[in-house]
Amino acid sequence: MTTASDEIAAVDDELTTLRATYEDVPLSVTVPMLGMLHDRLVRIGQRRIDPRWRSSLYRTTSRVSALRADGLYNVGQVDLARRLAGHAASMGRLGGDSAALGNALRTRAGIELYERRPAFAVAYAAQGADDHTPAGIACIAARARGAALAGVEAGQVNRLADQALNAAYGLPSELHGVPGDEHPETCSPVEVAYHATVAAAAAGDLAHADEYAALCLPDLPPGFRSVVHAHLAIASVPTELDRSFVEARQAIPLSPTPFRSLTVPLVSLVAALKPYRRTVPDVDVLADEVDRWRRGKGTSQA
């Protein structure tokens, strides 16, 4: 007979497998699978089980919920993603799992970043910030991005980004993981450099954004690269208008399937370019390309 402990361990194993392919498998597949894992954990929790297994149940529920929240957010289910990220944080606290808690707070902060609520993003990230743990370092990186969106001056944003980068590189190599693995107990310096790039770009510091991008672009998965190019495109508008079109057209083909973390900056780019419509015909052309990409009909230019 299997015990609740066995069932929790089985969910853990399946989560590990899902996480390993998270960047490569379509969210249309991953999100339902995570939903099924979460439902299994809920059913276990509704049974009378040995109290010694409760902490493991809370820990695993937190980790499943955080990854599911990330997936749901990217398919546009924002409110449910928020609730699940909050649930993940509660489960992490109940389970006494600081890594799961920090990961849940990072996930919630990430949602608020893309929903343009920087005060909330900074507040959640600050709760989890810690120079010495992978999830805590990811929260520092999220805090840098929130500060940039809140209008904090670029120098302070870059100091937060550098703090996160230095801490990430200072971790033992076995804790570096890979970009996009969404593991609470790893922190990829390459992924932190990605966040630093977006933070500097949002702060309007294109020079520092380019420096951070040089650290991460060669080693990022395509989806991450597309987001970097989209943010560099926005940052380029005031000073290097032609470059903004180049960056945008690098972003779109990298991610043939739209997801919210890319849709939001591309829509923001189109809005930032609107004042140039009368003098730069390419603005309307790019707006049409973004619109067709969002509707899943591809783009005419690579």
Side-chain angles (χ1 to χ4, degrees):
M1 291 179 61
T2 60
T3 65
S5 180
D6 294 330
E7 293 175 55
I8 295 165
V11 171
D12 249 332
D13 289 342
E14 291 182 46
L15 176 63
T16 298
T17 301
L18 275 174
R19 191 185 283 124
T21 58
Y22 187 64
E23 282 300 312
D24 303 316
V25 176
L27 290 169
S28 58
V29 175
T30 304
V31 171
M33 292 176 74
L34 286 164
M36 287 187 285
L37 290 185
H38 189 261
D39 289 346
R40 282 164 59 184
L41 292 167
V42 169
R43 287 195 294 272
I44 295 169
Q46 291 170 342
R47 287 161 27 198
R48 191 181 275 182
I49 66 173
D50 190 315
R52 292 174 299 174
W53 299 335
R54 283 284 169 186
S55 291
S56 294
L57 176 64
Y58 295 146
R59 167 189 173 278
T60 301
T61 302
S62 176
R63 294 175 182 222
V64 169
S65 298
L67 189 60
R68 187 183 176 203
D70 181 83
L72 284 167
Y73 177 75
N74 271 308
V75 297
Q77 296 193 46
V78 180
D79 290 339
L80 180 54
R82 280 192 175 114
R83 291 198 297 273
L84 271 171
H87 176 62
S90 297
M91 291 292 100
R93 287 190 184 95
L94 282 172
D97 187 334
S98 59
L101 173 59
N103 182 56
L105 291 167
R106 175 200 64 78
T107 301
R108 183 64 191 270
I111 292 169
E112 302 305 344
L113 286 171
Y114 281 105
E115 291 305 299
R116 295 294 191 266
R117 303 207 308 174
F120 288 93
V122 169
Y124 288 117
Q127 290 179 50
D130 184 346
D131 285 89
H132 306 293
T133 66
I137 294 166
C139 283
I140 297 171
R143 195 174 182 183
R145 290 182 58 178
L149 284 180
V152 173
E153 62 93 18
Q156 189 172 338
V157 170
N158 293 333
R159 281 191 289 275
L160 280 169
D162 287 340
Q163 178 188 353
L165 264 174
N166 291 334
Y169 280 112
L171 288 172
S173 58
E174 61 267 23
L175 298 182
H176 283 175
V178 295
D181 65 7
E182 299 292 333
H183 199 296
E185 294 172 10
T186 66
C187 180
S188 164
V190 171
E191 188 169 344
V192 172
Y194 154 83
H195 290 296
T197 305
V198 176
D205 188 344
L206 186 57
H208 272 91
D210 282 335
E211 290 178 12
Y212 293 133
L215 293 175
C216 65
L217 273 176
D219 300 308
L220 284 173
F224 281 82
R225 295 205 308 274
S226 65
V227 175
V228 167
H229 286 301
H231 283 278
L232 291 176
I234 298 170
S236 299
V237 171
T239 57
E240 300 181 41
L241 189 61
D242 288 344
R243 178 180 172 183
S244 66
F245 296 101
V246 173
E247 296 285 356
R249 287 184 172 123
Q250 289 186 72
I252 293 171
L254 283 169
S255 296
T257 302
F259 57 96
R260 197 168 178 85
S261 299
L262 179 57
T263 301
V264 170
L266 284 178
V267 170
S268 297
L269 172 65
V270 170
L273 288 170
K274 276 187 178 179
Y276 302 92
R277 288 179 65 185
R278 291 185 179 178
T279 56
V280 184
D282 218 17
V283 170
D284 285 336
V285 176
L286 180 63
D288 183 60
E289 291 171 16
V290 171
D291 184 58
R292 283 187 286 116
W293 170 79
R294 290 178 67 193
R295 289 185 283 115
K297 294 184 179 179
T299 179
S300 60
Q301 299 188 41

